[in-house]
Amino acid sequence: MVCALTLPSLAVCLLAGCGDSRDVVQVSGRVQYTGGAPLNGAVRFIRFEPTDESTAKIRKAASAEIAPDGTFDLYTRKPGDGVFRGRYAVSFTVLSGATNGKSLIAPDYESATTTPYVVDVNDDMSDLVYELEKRM
């Protein structure tokens, strides 16, 4: 028996991507400087990078822009699609400007290999709080 895909069903399959929707959860929270001050950069991003020991069925990074009030909602491909369950190293980008901006945070936070933050994503999470030290 041969299974044939019509063009519309192939498009739906490609757009939906791989994985089961039960493997994806919603992750949000807030990022601030140590002591609670809001981030003041013109460019602010958070990124969840799967660790080597991650149990994620699909190993894709998730990211989000950090809003001026410090809040974020992570996504994998498009806003609202969520994060695959697994273990992630959490890194950040906070720059003074969009072009030739200088980093405003300590260097350890900028890379998945040096960040002090690792999180296990198993269920929806809405209360994550990350505090970053300013670059000296």
Side-chain angles (χ1 to χ4, degrees):
M1 178 177 206
V2 175
C3 188
L5 287 175
T6 64
L7 190 55
S9 64
L10 177 61
V12 169
C13 181
L14 291 174
L15 287 174
C18 300
D20 188 326
S21 64
R22 294 172 296 195
D23 294 329
V24 178
V25 295
Q26 299 300 310
V27 178
S28 62
R30 184 170 33 88
V31 183
Q32 60 195 21
Y33 286 121
T34 303
L39 299 178
N40 59 348
V43 175
R44 300 170 308 275
F45 283 95
I46 183 171
R47 181 174 171 87
F48 276 37
E49 186 76 34
T51 64
D52 289 340
E53 62 274 354
S54 180
T55 58
K57 289 182 181 178
I58 297 177
R59 298 174 59 83
K60 288 198 171 250
S63 61
E65 183 173 3
I66 301 167
D69 68 355
T71 59
F72 65 87
D73 290 303
L74 289 168
Y75 62 91
T76 302
R77 289 185 314 245
K78 62 181 183 175
D81 69 359
V83 179
F84 289 99
R85 296 173 195 271
R87 176 171 274 209
Y88 294 88
V90 184
S91 61
F92 305 86
T93 300
V94 181
L95 303 175
S96 61
T99 57
N100 298 323
K102 303 239 185 282
S103 178
L104 300 175
I105 58 174
D108 287 351
Y109 301 114
E110 298 173 333
S111 169
T113 58
T114 59
T115 184
Y117 292 118
V118 175
V119 64
D120 289 307
V121 175
N122 298 311
D123 294 304
D124 289 344
M125 304 170 86
S126 62
D127 57 354
L128 293 174
V129 176
Y130 295 104
E131 289 197 347
L132 309 180
E133 295 175 28
K134 290 184 180 182
R135 183 178 287 256
M136 295 294 154

